[in-house]
Amino acid sequence: AQSVTQLGSHVSVSEGALVLLRCNYSSSVPPYLFWYVQYPNQGLQLLLKYTSAATLVKGINGFEAEFKKSETSFHLTKPSAHMSDAAEYFCAVSGGATGTASKLTFGTGTRLQVTL
Amino acid sequence: EAGVAQSPRYKIIEKRQSVAFWCNPISGHATLYWYQQILGQGPKLLIQFQNNGVVDDSQLPKDRFSAERLKGVDSTLKIQPAKLEDSAVYLCASSLPLAGATDTQYFGPGTRLTVL
């Protein structure tokens, strides 16, 4: 079975500072990993996904994540935070039984606060 | 391209009442998902459809929840009777069934249900 753990339910950074949101996964098969962002009262939007093509994945809005098999991690980073980045971020892993490979299992989320 | 549509956006009911949510996926997306997102948690898959057939409903509380996807397009999720613990945001998502585990799911804005 697949699972993800997001360390830190709340992260606060200053505008212009580095953003680092942590995600560790557990999977019995090669994992496919996703980061989604959720703004208040909105659905989830895909930031980026790892599909085994490259370990460093670049996404929208300047975010990127690096897949590290040895550390079972897929941390999300952005060099310089912007006020508009304040939102809830979810890490997810896909995979399931035959026919349900696209099923997503989400972490509990990390709320990012950006201060002036 | 129009996104995933859901209605209503908000619903308040008393326990033991019934409620239904509607979802219209992105045109051409054969796979449709319903997720339940309880406050402070990540979304949890309730049911997955492929066209009008159920692929996975292992986490759907079938004694009170039901879902259908007639004609393989729109879908309805029903709760009867509702309990206090059903208070959550119900998210609908859709995807093209291209590669399974790496498919991108597109989410609607969700329906926020409050059970009093």
Side-chain angles (χ1 to χ4, degrees):
Chain A
Q2 284 79 17
S3 67
V4 293
T5 301
Q6 293 185 243
L7 299 176
S9 59
H10 290 85
V11 171
S12 182
V13 300
S14 300
E15 190 174 35
L18 171 71
V19 175
L20 171 60
L21 304 182
R22 300 177 186 274
C23 174
N24 288 89
Y25 69 89
S26 174
S27 177
S28 56
V29 297
Y32 298 107
L33 297 156
F34 302 73
W35 275 100
Y36 279 85
V37 61
Q38 186 175 34
Y39 298 101
N41 299 315
Q42 295 186 28
L44 282 73
Q45 179 183 8
L46 180 70
L47 278 176
L48 49 83
K49 62 181 178 180
Y50 167 73
T51 60
S52 76
T55 57
L56 182 62
V57 182
K58 294 185 183 299
I60 62 172
N61 301 338
F63 285 93
E64 63 182 37
E66 186 172 9
F67 174 75
K68 292 186 176 180
K69 184 178 179 180
S70 61
E71 299 177 8
T72 61
S73 68
F74 190 58
H75 302 331
L76 182 70
T77 60
K78 182 175 180 177
S80 177
H82 192 272
M83 296 296 289
S84 60
D85 295 326
E88 186 95 21
Y89 292 79
F90 292 94
C91 182
V93 61
S94 66
T98 301
T100 64
S102 62
K103 169 184 175 180
L104 289 176
T105 300
F106 286 88
T108 52
T110 297
R111 182 167 298 277
L112 176 65
Q113 180 182 20
V114 182
T115 60
L116 289 172
Chain B
E1 179 182 80
V4 177
Q6 290 187 248
S7 68
R9 290 295 311 277
Y10 304 91
K11 189 74 176 178
I12 300 175
I13 62 172
E14 296 190 351
K15 60 183 179 183
R16 292 187 289 273
Q17 286 187 323
S18 302
V19 65
F21 313 127
W22 173 83
C23 172
N24 179 241
I26 293 173
S27 177
H29 281 195
T31 311
L32 185 146
Y33 315 78
W34 282 103
Y35 289 86
Q36 180 192 56
Q37 185 178 17
I38 294 173
L39 186 64
Q41 299 180 20
K44 181 185 79 171
L45 181 69
L46 292 176
I47 189 167
Q48 176 182 344
F49 290 94
Q50 182 78 14
N51 295 307
N52 60 349
V54 176
V55 174
D56 183 358
D57 63 357
S58 58
Q59 298 194 85
L60 186 73
K62 298 180 185 65
D63 58 331
R64 298 184 299 106
F65 285 65
S66 64
E68 61 182 9
R69 190 182 184 198
L70 300 177
K71 300 181 181 179
V73 182
D74 294 3
S75 177
T76 302
L77 177 69
K78 298 180 181 178
I79 307 176
Q80 179 180 15
K83 294 185 175 181
L84 297 177
E85 59 261 36
D86 298 331
S87 293
V89 175
Y90 292 85
L91 295 164
C92 179
S94 69
S95 69
L96 285 169
L98 294 175
T102 60
D103 290 344
T104 295
Q105 294 184 28
Y106 297 86
F107 285 80
T111 296
R112 183 178 298 276
L113 173 67
T114 302
V115 182
L116 303 175

